[in-house]
C-alpha cells in the first residue's frame, strides 16, 4: 500500500483545496449517473405495470388460449369437458374509465365464484351490477362507481375491496366483475379474451401443449402463460433500449470532463510527479494514484447520483409511461423500485466511466521521465504535433462510421447504428484539436479588429492550451450534437407526421367511444351509431373502422378494417410499395391486406408476400397488396376491407367512424346534428383540426423525455466548462497578473475569460452542429428505421436549432462568470511575485 | 519636479495569519531621467518597493507620489490608467506571453490601453532594441537576452516616464546581462526614462546614478554618483 500516502498527499489535498471545481466535476458525474438510473427505473416501472394491472387474479397458470376478436364460448365448454386433469379459467380483459376521476383502469371479468380466493376480497356475495375494486378506487364496499365502458356509462356498486388479496394486482386500481357482468358491459356476446389453463405438475409442458392443441379448434393460439406480457416486453425493448442509450450521453459528456480534470491534474503535477519518481515512486504507483483520483471523483459523484436518480425517476416515470401508453401498450406506472442491482450498476457506470476516461492521462503521467518533468508545455506541444495524425484518424473513423451505418440490425437492434454514432463522436473528438487550432488562430486577427484585444488574447489563449480546450469543446460539442441530432430527428419526425396527417386525416369529423382507448385498446361502439350518423343531413359518407389487438409472430400488432370504397373516394394514403389505386381497388372482396411500414419492417414482409391470420375459427393467408406509410403507432397494422373482416368475425361494432361532409357544409351545424342523432351513447365527436391538435400534443409529450435528457447532458457540459475555466484561471494566474502589470484593467481580464467561454461555446457549437447533422442522419435513416420501422423525411427545424444553440452559447458564457470574477480579483503582485 | 516620491512608506503582508513588515518607513525621492538601483538580499523588500512605485499595490502607511499623483487616492481604474500612461515593467524571467509572437507581445500595452495603431510603434521599439527581423517569432524561439530585449521593447512602447526593472539580469549570463544593463542605461540617456531597478548584484549597480541599499525593509544607505 505504498501508493496510499502518496495518494492522500498529492491527490486528496489538491481536491480539497479546489472545492468548487471538485464539486462541479463530481456533480457532473452525479447528474450523469442520476439520469442513467432514473431512466432505468422509469423504464422498468412503466414496462412492469402492464403485467401488474392486467394479471389481476390470474395466479400462475401454465397456458393461455387467445384468438383474434376473442375466444368463442364453446371453446371454454369444450376445454372444461375434456377428459384431462386440467383447470380452465375464463377471463375477459379490457379497460374502463372511472367517470369521477377520468382515470383509465383495467377491467377484468372472472368467474368470481371460482376465482375468489378464500378470505380474499371482502364481500364475496354477488348480486346485480356490482364490482370488486382495488384499494385506490374505493375504500369501502357499498360505494358507487360510475364507469365508462365503450360507449356506455353505467353505475356499479362496490361489492368488495381487493386489498391484500393474493393475486389481486399490484397496482391497486383494478376493477373486477363477474364474467357475465363483464360480458354484458363490454358487449362480448360470450367471447372471452383469454382462457387460462393449469395442468398438473407431472409431465412435460411440451406434452401437455400438444394434447391441448389437439383439443382446440383452428384459429386459436395456445401459448405459455405470460406470452402476452413477454410480447409487450419485446415490443418495448427497442423503445427502452434507445432511451437508455440516450441517457448514457450525459455520462459520455461527464467522461470528457473527468478526462479533462485528470489531464489538468497531470499537467499541474508534472513537477511533483518528477520529484516523487526521482525519490523512488514506481510508474505503476503513479498510474494507480491517478486512476485512484478518477475513481474517487467517480465515487463522489456516483453516490449522490443514486439519490438524484431516484428523485428524477419520479418525474421520468410519468413521461415514459405517457409515451408507453400512447404508442405501445396500456400502462399504469408500477411503484419505482431501487433495487441493489440497479444501484450497483449505476455506481459501476459512474466509477467505470471515470476510470476509463482517466486511463489516457494517468498512463501519460506514469510515463513522465523524472528529468523532463520540470519542463513546461510538453502536453500542449504533443497535442499540436499530433493534430495532423489525429485528423487523419478522424477521417478514417468518419469513414468507418459511415460504413457501419449501412450494416443491418443485429437481433432487431440497430447495434451498428449505435456503433456508427459512437465512432462519429470519436472522429469528431479527434478532429476538434485541428478545428480549435485553425479557428482560434484564424479568428484571432478578426477578433482583435472587431472585438478588441481581450477577444484576441482569448482566442490565442484557447489555441495555446489546445489539449485542454479540445477536451472541453469535445464535451460540449457532444452534448450539442445530441441536441442538434435529436432536434433534427424530432423536427423531421414532427414534419413527417404533419404531412402524413394531411394525407391520412381527410374526414371532417371523427366519432369514437368515450371509453378508454389507446394503442392497444380499441373500445367499440354500437353498430347503430354509424347508421344513425349516415342519415344526418349533410353527411356525404362514413367510414366504419374496426381495430383489434392481435399478436403476430410473437409481437403485438393491430388488425384494422375500414371501408375501402370510402377511402378510395376521399383518402390520400401514401404507399411505400404498390400504388394506392391498385392496392385499394383490389382490397374489397378478396383475402388481401395492406400493411403499415412498421409492420412490414418488423416482420420483413412486403408487397406480394402473405400474412397468415387466425380468424373466426380458421387460419387464412392474406396477400399483401402494398405497404403504406403510417405513424399512428409503432406496433404495426394489418389493414383489410371491412367486408373481409366481417366475413370471418361477424361483429359489426366499429372502433371509430370517420365522417365526410358534403361540400360547403358547416361543420359545427352538422356536428350538433350528429350529437342529437347519437344522444344516449357516450361517444366523442372530434373535428379534424382538434384531432390533429391532439395528435401533435401526444407527439410532443412523447419527446418531452428526450428534451429533458438533452437538457441534462448540456447542463453537465456547461458545468464542466465552468469548472474547467476555473482551473484555467488558476493555471494562468501569472498571465492575468502580468496583464495587469502591462496596463489591463480588472474588467479587461474579466472580459478575456468571458470571451474564452464564449469562444469555447462557439467552437463547440460549430463542431457540435456538424457532428449533430451527421448523427441526425444516423438517427433518422439507421437507428430509428431499424428500431421502429418508420421512414422520416429529413427536415431542418431551423428556429428550434437556432434558439437551442444560442441558449447553449449564452449558458457557456454564463458559466464563465464566476471564473471571470475570480480572475479579475487576482492580486497581480501576489501571482507574479518573484522574490 | 520629482517623478517618484515615497513619504514614510511602510508595507505589511499577512503570511499565514501573521503580519510581516516588508517595508519600514521608506522615504525616497527619484528625479526624472535618473537611473536608480535598489540593492539588497532576497526578501529585503526590493520587489515590494517596485510594486508600490508602479502603482500595483497600496502602502500600509505613508504615501507614494507618482508624477505628482498620490496613488492611495486613486481607484483601481485610476491606478490602471496611471500604469498605462506612465509605468513600464521588466522582470527577471521576462514574462513574455508564450502564445503571442514577438511583435504581438510588444504591442500588448498599447492594445490594452485601447489603441489600435500599435504595429508601427512596436516595430520602432523592436528596432530600438536591435531585434528587427524577429517580429514573428515566438518567445521560445529566442535566446534569454533576446527575450529580455523584447520585454524591454514592450515596457517602452507606451513611452513610460518610469521603468521598473525587477532583477532584469537575474536569469542571464554575465555578458548578456551587461548588454541589457547598457541598454537600460541608453534608455535613460536617449529616451529620458527614469529607471528603478531591483538587483542583488552589486556589480550591476555600476550603470546606475543612484544606489540604494535595502536591508530588512529599511534603506540603509543611499549613494549618489
Amino acid at each position: 500500500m505504498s501508493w496510499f500516502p502518496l495518494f492522500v498527499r498529492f491527490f486528496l489535498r489538491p481536491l480539497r483545496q479546489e472545492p468548487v471545481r471538485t464539486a462541479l466535476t463530481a456533480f457532473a458525474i452525479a447528474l450523469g449517473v442520476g439520469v442513467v438510473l432514473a431512466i432505468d427505473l422509469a423504464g422498468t416501472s412503466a414496462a412492469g405495470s402492464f403485467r401488474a394491472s392486467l394479471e389481476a387474479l390470474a395466479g400462475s397458470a401454465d397456458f393461455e388460449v387467445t384468438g383474434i376478436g376473442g375466444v368463442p364460448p364453446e371453446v371454454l365448454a369444450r376445454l372444461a369437458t375434456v377428459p384431462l386433469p386440467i383447470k380452465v379459467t375464463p377471463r375477459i380483459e379490457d379497460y374502463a374509465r372511472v367517470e369521477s376521476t377520468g382515470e383509465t383502469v383495467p377491467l377484468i371479468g372472472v368467474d368470481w365464484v371460482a376465482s375468489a380466493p378464500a378470505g380474499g376480497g371482502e364481500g364475496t356475495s354477488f348480486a346485480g351490477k356490482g364490482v370488486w375494486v382495488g384499494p385506490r378506487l374505493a375504500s369501502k364496499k357499498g360505494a358507487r362507481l360510475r364507469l365508462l365502458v365503450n360507449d356506455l356509462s353505467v353505475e356499479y356498486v362496490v361489492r368488495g375491496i381487493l386489498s391484500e388479496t393474493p393475486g389481486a394486482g399490484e397496482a391497486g386500481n383494478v376493477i373486477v366483475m363477474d364474467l357475465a357482468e363483464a360480458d354484458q358491459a363490454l358487449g362480448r356476446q360470450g367471447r372471452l379474451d383469454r382462457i387460462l389453463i393449469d395442468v398438473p405438475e407431472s409431465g412435460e409442458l411440451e406434452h401437455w401443449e400438444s394434447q391441448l392443441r389437439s383439443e382446440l379448434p383452428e384459429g386459436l393460439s395456445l401459448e405459455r402463460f405470460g406470452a402476452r406480457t413477454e410480447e409487450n416486453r419485446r415490443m418495448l425493448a427497442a423503445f427502452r433500449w434507445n432511451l437508455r442509450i440516450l441517457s448514457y450521453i450525459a455520462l459520455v459528456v461527464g467522461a470528457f470532463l473527468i478526462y479533462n480534470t485528470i489531464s489538468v491534474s497531470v499537467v499541474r503535477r508534472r513537477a511533483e510527479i518528477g520529484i516523487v519518481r526521482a525519490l523512488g515512486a514506481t510508474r505503476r504507483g503513479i498510474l494507480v494514484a491517478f486512476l485512484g483520483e478518477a475513481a474517487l471523483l467517480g465515487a463522489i459523484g456516483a453516490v449522490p447520483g443514486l439519490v438524484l436518480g431516484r428523485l428524477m425517476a419520479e418525474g421520468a416515470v410519468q413521461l415514459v409511461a405517457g409515451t408507453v401508453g400512447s404508442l405501445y401498450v396500456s400502462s399504469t406506472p408500477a411503484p419505482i423500485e431501487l433495487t441493489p442491482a440497479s444501484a450497483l450498476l449505476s455506481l459501476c457506470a459512474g466509477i467505470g466511466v471515470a476510470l476509463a476516461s482517466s486511463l489516457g492521462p494517468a498512463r501519460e503521467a506514469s510515463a513522465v521521465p523524472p528529468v523532463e518533468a520540470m519542463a513546461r508545455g510538453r502536453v500542449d506541444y504533443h497535442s499540436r504535433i499530433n493534430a495532423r495524425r489525429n485528423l487523419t484518424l478522424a477521417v478514417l473513423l468518419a469513414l468507418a462510421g459511415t460504413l457501419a451505418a449501412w450494416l443491418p440490425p443485429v437481433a432487431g437492434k440497430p447495434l451498428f447504428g449505435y456503433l456508427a454514432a459512437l465512432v462519429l463522436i470519436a472522429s469528431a473528438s479527434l478532429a476538434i484539436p485541428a478545428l480549435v487550432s485553425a479557428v482560434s488562430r484564424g479568428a484571432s486577427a478578426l477578433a482583435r479588429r472587431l472585438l478588441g484585444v481581450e477577444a484576441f488574447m482569448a482566442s490565442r489563449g484557447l489555441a495555446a492550451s489546445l489539449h485542454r480546450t479540445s477536451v472541453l469543446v469535445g464535451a460540449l460539442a457532444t452534448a450539442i450534437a445530441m441536441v442538434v441530432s435529436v432536434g433534427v430527428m424530432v423536427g423531421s419526425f414532427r414534419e413527417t407526421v404533419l404531412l402524413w396527417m394531411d394525407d391520412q386525416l381527410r374526414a371532417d369529423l371523427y366519432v369514437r367511444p368515450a371509453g378508454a382507448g389507446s394503442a392497444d385498446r380499441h373500445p367499440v361502439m354500437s353498430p347503430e351509431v354509424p347508421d344513425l350518423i349516415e342519415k344526418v343531413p349533410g353527411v356525404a359518407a362514413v367510414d366504419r373502422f374496426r381495430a383489434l389487438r392481435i399478436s403476430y409472430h410473437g409481437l403485438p400488432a393491430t388488425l384494422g378494417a375500414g371501408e375501402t370504397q370510402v377511402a378510395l373516394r376521399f383518402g390520400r394514403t401514401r404507399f411505400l410499395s404498390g400504388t394506392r389505386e391498385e392496392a385499394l381497388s383490389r382490397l374489397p372482396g378478396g383475402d388481401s391486406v395492406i400493411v403499415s411500414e412498421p409492420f412490414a419492417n418488423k416482420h420483413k414482409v412486403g408487397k406480394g408476400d402473405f400474412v397468415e391470420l387466425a380468424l373466426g375459427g380458421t387460419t387464412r393467408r392474406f396477400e399483401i397488396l402494398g405497404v403504406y406509410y403510417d405513424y399512428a403507432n409503432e406496433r404495426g397494422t394489418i389493414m383489410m376491407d371491412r367486408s373481409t373482416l366481417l366475413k370471418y368475425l361477424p361483429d359489426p361494432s366499429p372502433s371509430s367512424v370517420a365522417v365526410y361532409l358534403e361540400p360547403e357544409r358547416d361543420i359545427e351545424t352538422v356536428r350538433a346534428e350528429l350529437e342529437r342523432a347519437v344522444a344516449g351513447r357516450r361517444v366523442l365527436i372530434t373535428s379534424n383540426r382538434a384531432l390533429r391538435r391532439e395528435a401533435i400534443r401526444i407527439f410532443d409529450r412523447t419527446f418531452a423525455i428526450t428534451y429533458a435528457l438533452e437538457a441534462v447532458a448540456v447542463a453537465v457540459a456547461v458545468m464542466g466548462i465552468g469548472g474547467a475555466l476555473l482551473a484555467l484561471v488558476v493555471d494562468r494566474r501569472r498571465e492575468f497578473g502580468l496583464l495587469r502589470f502591462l496596463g489591463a484593467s480588472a474588467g479587461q481580464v474579466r472580459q478575456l475569460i468571458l470571451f474564452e467561454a464564449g469562444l469555447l461555446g462557439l467552437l463547440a457549437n460549430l463542431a457540435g452542429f456538424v457532428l449533430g447533422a451527421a448523427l441526425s442522419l444516423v438517427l433518422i435513416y439507421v437507428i430509428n428505421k431499424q428500431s421502429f420501422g418508420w421512414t422520416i423525411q429529413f427536415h431542418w427545424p431551423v428556429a428550434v436549432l437556432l434558439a437551442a444553440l444560442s441558449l447553449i452559447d449564452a449558458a457557456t458564457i454564463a458559466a464563465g462568470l464566476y471564473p471571470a470574477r475570480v480572475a479579475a480579483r487576482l492580486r497581480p503582485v501576489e501571482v507574479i511575485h518573484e522574490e | 519636479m520629482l517623478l517618484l516620491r515615497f513619504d514614510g512608506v511602510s508595507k505589511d503582508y499577512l503570511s499565514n495569519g501573521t503580519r510581516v513588515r516588508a517595508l519600514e518607513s521608506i522615504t525616497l525621492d527619484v528625479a526624472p531621467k535618473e537611473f536608480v538601483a535598489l540593492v539588497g538580499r532576497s526578501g529585503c523588500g526590493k520587489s515590494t518597493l517596485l510594486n508600490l512605485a508602479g502603482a500595483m499595490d497600496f502602502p500600509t502607511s505613508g504615501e507614494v507620489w507618482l508624477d505628482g499623483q498620490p496613488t492611495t487616492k486613486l481607484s483601481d481604474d485610476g491606478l490602471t490608467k496611471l500604469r498605462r500612461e506612465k509605468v513600464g515593467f521588466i522582470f527577471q524571467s521576462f514574462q513574455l506571453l508564450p502564445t503571442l509572437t514577438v511583435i504581438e507581445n510588444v504591442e500588448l500595452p498599447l492594445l490594452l490601453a485601447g489603441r489600435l495603431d500599435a504595429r508601427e510603434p512596436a516595430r520602432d521599439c523592436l528596432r530600438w532594441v536591435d531585434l528587427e527581423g524577429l517580429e514573428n517569432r515566438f518567445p521560445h524561439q529566442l535566446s534569454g537576452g533576446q527575450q529580455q530585449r523584447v520585454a524591454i521593447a514592450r515596457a517602452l512602447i507606451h513611452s513610460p516616464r518610469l521603468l521598473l526593472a525587477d532583477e532584469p539580469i537575474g536569469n542571464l549570463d554575465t555578458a548578456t546581462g551587461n548588454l541589457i544593463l547598457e541598454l537600460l542605461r541608453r534608455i535613460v540617456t536617449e529616451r529620458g526614462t527614469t529607471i528603478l531597478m531591483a538587483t542583488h548584484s552589486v556589480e550591476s549597480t555600476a550603470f546606475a546614478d543612484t544606489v540604494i541599499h535595502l536591508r530588512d525593509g529599511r534603506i540603509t544607505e543611499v549613494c549618489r554618483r
Side-chain angles (χ1 to χ4, degrees):
Chain A
M1 298 293 279
S2 61
W3 56 269
F4 188 70
L6 187 78
F7 180 69
V8 172
R9 286 169 204 162
F10 290 98
F11 295 93
L12 285 190
R13 280 184 199 161
L15 283 181
R16 276 174 49 201
Q17 278 161 3
E18 283 188 85
V20 175
R21 202 166 78 86
T22 305
L24 275 175
T25 311
F27 190 56
I29 291 289
L31 265 180
V33 168
V35 163
V36 168
L37 181 66
I39 292 301
D40 186 46
L41 293 179
T44 308
S45 161
S49 58
F50 44 73
R51 171 168 167 76
S53 54
L54 269 185
E55 300 303 322
L57 297 176
S60 54
D62 297 302
F63 295 101
E64 57 189 31
V65 179
T66 55
I68 296 174
V71 182
E74 52 273 20
V75 176
L76 175 67
R78 186 163 164 183
L79 283 172
T81 54
V82 292
L84 293 171
I86 57 169
K87 180 188 166 198
V88 292
T89 313
R91 284 169 72 88
I92 289 176
E93 295 164 346
D94 212 313
Y95 287 83
R97 184 166 286 166
V98 180
E99 284 221 42
S100 58
T101 60
E103 190 184 2
T104 298
V105 294
L107 190 163
I108 316 286
V110 294
D111 183 351
W112 186 246
V113 177
S115 299
E122 300 165 42
T124 45
S125 66
F126 177 79
K129 289 187 187 303
V131 289
W132 282 257
V133 299
R136 274 173 48 196
L137 294 176
S139 55
K140 58 178 184 185
K141 61 180 181 177
R144 299 198 172 261
L145 198 64
R146 183 162 279 279
L147 298 177
L148 203 53
V149 184
N150 285 336
D151 61 351
L152 290 171
S153 170
V154 184
E155 190 172 80
Y156 292 87
V157 176
V158 175
R159 299 286 181 202
I161 310 296
L162 294 165
S163 55
E164 295 168 20
T165 302
E170 296 153 29
N173 62 351
V174 68
I175 293 174
V176 176
M177 287 183 182
D178 186 66
L179 203 58
E181 185 73 55
D183 178 75
Q184 192 189 356
L186 291 159
R188 290 290 161 87
Q189 296 169 323
R191 294 179 83 87
L192 303 161
D193 287 297
R194 272 199 293 177
I195 298 174
L196 307 182
I197 302 173
D198 284 284
V199 297
E201 283 183 16
S202 59
E204 291 291 316
L205 279 175
E206 286 77 13
H207 168 71
W208 285 108
E209 193 170 351
S210 64
Q211 273 202 302
L212 288 168
R213 203 175 289 283
S214 66
E215 298 295 335
L216 289 172
E218 203 187 340
L220 292 179
S221 65
L222 174 78
E223 287 168 307
R224 298 281 170 90
F225 178 72
R228 201 156 87 171
T229 302
E230 269 317 300
E231 279 180 10
N232 285 334
R233 283 199 200 289
R234 268 203 297 279
M235 176 179 62
L236 272 182
F239 168 70
R240 289 191 62 191
W241 179 262
N242 278 295
L243 206 55
R244 195 172 279 155
I245 294 284
L246 215 52
S247 76
Y248 277 98
I249 298 282
L251 257 188
V252 172
V253 174
F256 275 97
L257 302 178
I258 288 276
Y259 176 87
N260 182 56
T261 303
I262 303 300
S263 295
V264 169
S265 288
V266 173
V267 173
R268 279 185 184 174
R269 295 175 205 166
R270 285 179 72 81
E272 290 171 20
I273 295 167
I275 292 165
V276 292
R277 287 273 287 117
L279 293 176
T282 61
R283 285 181 193 279
R284 180 187 285 268
I286 300 288
L287 180 79
V288 169
F290 274 100
L291 288 179
E293 184 188 7
L296 186 71
L297 271 173
I300 293 174
V303 172
L306 292 183
V307 181
L308 207 60
R310 177 63 185 78
L311 291 174
M312 288 196 287
E314 295 287 344
V317 77
Q318 296 304 324
L319 295 172
V320 175
T323 302
V324 168
S326 323
L327 287 183
Y328 298 96
V329 60
S330 307
S331 155
T332 314
I336 297 166
E337 271 187 80
L338 177 57
T339 59
S342 299
L344 194 67
L345 192 73
S346 305
L347 272 178
C348 289
I351 297 171
V353 159
L355 279 174
S357 54
S358 67
L359 202 59
R363 283 181 59 185
E364 192 184 327
S366 70
V368 170
V371 195
E372 274 184 32
M374 294 296 284
R376 283 174 178 273
R378 182 170 169 268
V379 174
D380 286 339
Y381 179 62
H382 257 300
S383 301
R384 266 197 293 277
I385 58 168
N386 287 338
R388 182 171 290 181
R389 190 197 66 188
N390 286 352
L391 202 58
T392 314
L393 260 175
V395 172
L396 290 176
L397 281 178
L399 286 173
T402 311
L403 282 178
W406 288 94
L407 295 173
V410 179
K413 288 193 175 76
L415 292 187
F416 286 112
Y418 295 130
L419 182 70
L422 204 64
V423 168
L424 286 175
I425 291 173
S427 161
S429 306
L430 285 170
I432 279 171
L435 172 83
V436 172
S437 186
V439 172
S440 52
R441 278 169 208 286
S444 64
L446 193 69
R448 176 173 153 175
R449 217 172 23 250
L450 296 179
L451 301 166
V453 65
E454 300 85 359
F456 166 69
M457 295 290 294
S459 65
R460 282 300 175 83
L462 288 185
S465 47
L466 191 58
H467 189 262
R468 190 185 299 196
T469 308
S470 304
V471 176
L472 293 177
V473 170
L476 191 55
T478 305
I480 290 173
M482 179 185 170
V483 170
V484 170
S485 59
V486 174
V488 169
M489 194 267 284
V490 174
S492 301
F493 200 178
R494 200 173 193 273
E495 195 64 20
T496 306
V497 168
L498 285 172
L499 289 172
W500 169 76
M501 284 198 295
D502 273 346
D503 292 332
Q504 199 67 18
L505 303 179
R506 306 294 301 168
D508 299 290
L509 294 165
Y510 291 87
V511 184
R512 62 185 168 89
S518 78
D520 68 330
R521 294 194 304 253
H522 310 289
V524 290
M525 53 193 152
S526 161
E528 299 93 67
V529 171
D531 297 342
L532 292 168
I533 290 172
E534 214 164 20
K535 289 175 190 154
V536 170
V539 172
V542 296
D543 182 357
R544 296 163 180 84
F545 181 76
R546 177 68 193 263
L548 293 159
R549 182 204 182 279
I550 62 165
S551 170
Y552 191 82
H553 289 181
L555 281 175
T558 302
L559 174 64
E563 298 189 46
T564 312
Q565 290 306 329
V566 179
L568 255 174
R569 191 173 148 204
F570 294 98
R572 262 191 358 204
T573 302
R574 292 201 308 136
F575 278 73
L576 196 71
S577 65
T579 64
R580 177 175 169 274
E581 283 69 26
E582 187 205 343
L584 293 187
S585 58
R586 282 184 56 204
L587 209 51
D591 278 354
S592 50
V593 293
I594 54 175
V595 298
S596 72
E597 188 191 12
F599 183 91
N601 284 327
K602 267 189 177 59
H603 299 286
K604 306 276 178 297
V605 290
K607 183 176 179 252
D609 292 334
F610 287 84
V611 288
E612 214 167 65
L613 294 172
L615 275 177
T618 176
T619 301
R620 290 273 167 189
R621 275 159 57 84
F622 294 84
E623 186 193 352
I624 298 174
L625 300 178
V627 178
Y628 66 99
Y629 289 105
D630 183 39
Y631 303 94
N633 63 61
E634 197 233 301
R635 307 161 68 89
T637 303
I638 301 171
M639 190 75 78
M640 56 178 58
D641 187 65
R642 181 171 163 80
S643 61
T644 313
L645 182 70
L646 287 176
K647 189 165 72 182
Y648 297 107
L649 284 178
D651 176 4
S653 308
S655 311
S656 67
V657 175
V659 184
Y660 297 88
L661 304 190
E662 289 166 355
E664 309 301 321
R665 285 284 184 170
D666 177 53
I667 291 178
E668 286 311 312
T669 312
V670 179
R671 181 195 178 118
E673 287 292 323
L674 288 189
E675 278 168 359
R676 262 196 295 279
V678 298
R681 290 286 169 181
R682 296 300 298 270
V683 294
L684 299 174
I685 302 174
T686 316
S687 71
N688 185 306
R689 185 186 293 179
L691 191 67
R692 286 175 192 229
R693 209 168 38 230
E694 176 65 5
I696 282 300
R697 190 190 66 78
I698 291 174
F699 180 92
D700 290 339
R701 188 187 65 186
T702 301
F703 287 100
I705 186 107
T706 321
Y707 297 134
L709 290 176
E710 283 176 10
V712 172
V714 170
V716 169
V718 169
M719 266 191 313
I721 297 272
L725 283 172
L726 207 55
L728 212 74
V729 168
V730 173
D731 292 352
R732 283 167 53 195
R733 56 191 184 278
R734 282 173 74 90
E735 179 189 326
F736 301 131
L738 175 69
L739 290 177
R740 299 298 309 277
F741 269 93
L742 298 181
S745 66
Q748 283 178 306
V749 172
R750 194 182 301 121
Q751 273 182 36
L752 195 158
I753 299 291
L754 291 179
F755 271 123
E756 287 202 6
L759 201 55
L760 272 176
L762 205 66
L763 284 165
N765 266 341
L766 197 65
F769 185 79
V770 175
L771 175 62
L775 289 183
S776 69
L777 296 175
V778 177
L779 272 179
I780 289 174
Y781 298 115
V782 184
I783 293 178
N784 174 73
K785 183 88 178 170
Q786 293 181 3
S787 295
F788 306 111
W790 279 316
T791 294
I792 297 175
Q793 315 291 332
F794 196 90
H795 169 78
W796 285 109
V798 179
V800 174
L801 288 182
L802 272 179
L805 297 186
S806 311
L807 196 69
I808 291 168
D809 208 29
T812 316
I813 295 172
L817 282 174
Y818 179 66
R821 191 160 165 249
V822 171
R825 288 185 165 195
L826 287 172
R827 295 201 65 230
V829 290
E830 283 177 13
V831 294
I832 209 126
H833 189 60
E834 290 194 318
E835 268 193 1
Chain B
M1 187 187 165
L2 292 172
L3 179 69
L4 181 69
R5 180 180 170 79
F6 277 58
D7 189 4
V9 170
S10 295
K11 178 68 186 176
D12 295 345
Y13 286 116
L14 274 178
S15 175
N16 294 327
T18 313
R19 189 167 290 274
V20 178
R21 176 138 290 194
L23 288 178
E24 175 80 56
S25 306
I26 301 287
T27 296
L28 170 71
D29 292 339
V30 178
K33 302 181 187 177
E34 191 177 359
F35 189 158
V36 180
L38 295 168
V39 190
R41 287 181 187 167
S42 189
C44 71
K46 302 188 296 287
S47 294
T48 306
L49 198 147
L50 287 189
N51 288 333
L52 292 171
M56 290 301 302
D57 208 352
F58 295 108
T60 308
S61 63
E63 192 70 79
V64 178
W65 299 74
L66 178 57
D67 206 18
Q69 292 192 61
T71 59
T72 45
K73 302 282 189 298
L74 294 173
S75 64
D76 191 58
D77 285 346
L79 288 178
T80 301
K81 191 165 181 292
L82 193 66
R83 281 199 299 276
R84 278 180 184 170
E85 291 171 358
K86 302 190 189 298
V87 187
F89 291 91
I90 53 176
F91 306 91
Q92 179 177 346
S93 52
F94 326 132
Q95 300 287 5
L96 298 177
L97 290 173
T99 57
L100 304 186
T101 61
V102 163
I103 195 144
E104 287 168 344
N105 262 292
V106 177
E107 287 175 315
L108 203 53
L110 284 189
L111 295 176
L112 288 168
R115 277 184 54 184
L116 297 175
D117 54 339
R119 189 52 52 113
E120 272 316 304
R123 281 191 205 286
D124 289 345
C125 283
L126 283 170
R127 209 173 294 128
W128 201 82
V129 297
D130 290 332
L131 286 179
E132 202 174 8
L134 300 180
E135 290 88 346
N136 295 321
R137 298 221 180 151
F138 282 93
H140 68 267
Q141 296 170 311
L142 303 179
S143 68
Q146 285 173 323
Q147 288 193 47
Q148 192 59 297
R149 277 191 281 159
V150 174
I152 290 171
R154 183 178 66 185
L156 293 178
I157 191 169
H158 56 302
S159 306
R161 297 203 65 199
L162 176 65
L163 180 63
L164 299 168
D166 195 353
E167 302 280 4
I169 58 167
N171 274 5
L172 301 172
D173 60 66
T174 310
T176 313
N178 282 338
L179 288 174
I180 294 297
L181 288 171
E182 280 170 19
L183 184 58
L184 293 179
R185 184 67 246 180
R186 265 180 66 207
I187 292 169
V188 177
T189 315
E190 295 177 20
R191 300 176 74 104
T193 307
T194 304
I195 293 181
L196 193 57
M197 175 180 76
T199 178
H200 63 269
S201 120
V202 180
E203 291 86 355
S204 57
T205 63
F207 295 84
D209 302 315
T210 305
V211 179
I212 298 171
H213 291 268
L214 276 174
R215 188 170 186 174
D216 297 333
R218 293 168 186 270
I219 295 177
T220 54
E221 191 184 351
V222 178
C223 305
R224 295 192 189 272
R225 291 170 181 158

